[in-house]
Amino acid sequence: MNIYEGKIDAKGFRFAIVVSRFNSFITDKLLEGALDALKRNGALDKDIEIYRTPGSFEIPLVAKILAKRKDIDGIICLGAVIKGATPHFHYVATEVAKGIAMTSLEYTKPISFGIITSETLEQAIERAGAKSGNKGYDAAIAVIEMVNLLREKGLCSEERQES
Ligand code: INI
């Protein structure tokens, strides 16, 4: 039996974080969590790029542009879509999920979904470092594991091309 799993080791990889400014009191916490996960696991500051978008809806466009770059191994997308009283929630949540998933598959590059989608502000707070952990941290760990898994299986190149 062969089991393939990625290690949680960020050393030597390059990462981009795409984080929305909408609901920034939540997304700032997600960013803190993601940076904590990357640095604790060996990523260097020089190997991390952070891009800010106005809202979550704009995240897939930036993720797609970054996904084309051969020098970036993994992308972490962070946002907070909170239902409130507007149907806007559904459009934003659906489009960001679809856009991230499609981009990851199109470019065969790990792109994680660190977007909180919640009914209430309280639930969002819980997932941004309070009761239910930090989804930014989790999203960064998922990307670290995936870049290692793809490298181990030779599914992404050892020699990174600098852009
Ligand atoms: N953007 C979010 O990131 N979270 C939200 O909860 C949200 N809601 O509910 O409106 C939101 N809207 C803005 C959207 O992402 C775009 O920035 C905007 O529509 C301009 O394209």
Side-chain angles (χ1 to χ4, degrees), residues 67-161:
K68 291 182 192 171
R69 277 179 47 188
K70 298 256 190 306
D71 63 324
I72 289 182
D73 298 293
I75 303 171
I76 298 147
C77 297
L78 306 174
V81 192
I82 302 171
K83 191 165 183 181
T86 163
H88 204 55
F89 165 90
H90 292 288
Y91 297 109
V92 175
T94 304
E95 291 309 312
V96 66
K98 201 167 68 188
I100 290 172
M102 282 171 59
T103 304
S104 183
L105 295 176
E106 185 177 350
Y107 291 94
T108 52
K109 183 160 285 187
I111 307 180
S112 64
F113 185 73
I115 314 289
I116 293 176
T117 54
S118 67
E119 294 285 324
T120 64
L121 176 60
E122 193 180 42
Q123 287 169 351
I125 292 168
E126 282 173 9
R127 294 168 196 171
K131 272 197 259 173
S132 311
N134 183 311
K135 295 296 171 209
Y137 187 97
D138 297 346
I141 294 291
V143 159
I144 296 169
E145 181 173 340
M146 286 299 293
V147 296
N148 278 284
L149 177 63
L150 298 195
R151 167 98 30 111
E152 186 188 329
K153 287 303 297 157
L155 298 173
C156 75
S157 110
E158 192 84 26
E159 295 243 343
R160 219 184 302 105
Q161 276 176 256

Side-chain angles (χ1 to χ4, degrees), residues 1 39 72 87:
M1 184 165 64
K39 290 185 190 183
I72 289 182

Side-chain angles (χ1 to χ4, degrees), residues 28-68:
D28 286 349
K29 297 281 174 213
L30 298 179
L31 179 59
E32 274 175 34
L35 289 172
D36 187 34
L38 291 177
K39 290 185 190 183
R40 269 177 200 267
N41 290 290
L44 302 176
D45 279 339
K46 72 172 180 61
D47 293 325
I48 303 171
E49 296 177 16
I50 299 171
Y51 294 83
R52 291 192 183 270
T53 61
S56 294
F57 188 82
E58 286 77 25
I59 288 175
L61 172 62
V62 178
K64 183 166 183 169
I65 291 164
L66 294 169
K68 291 182 192 171

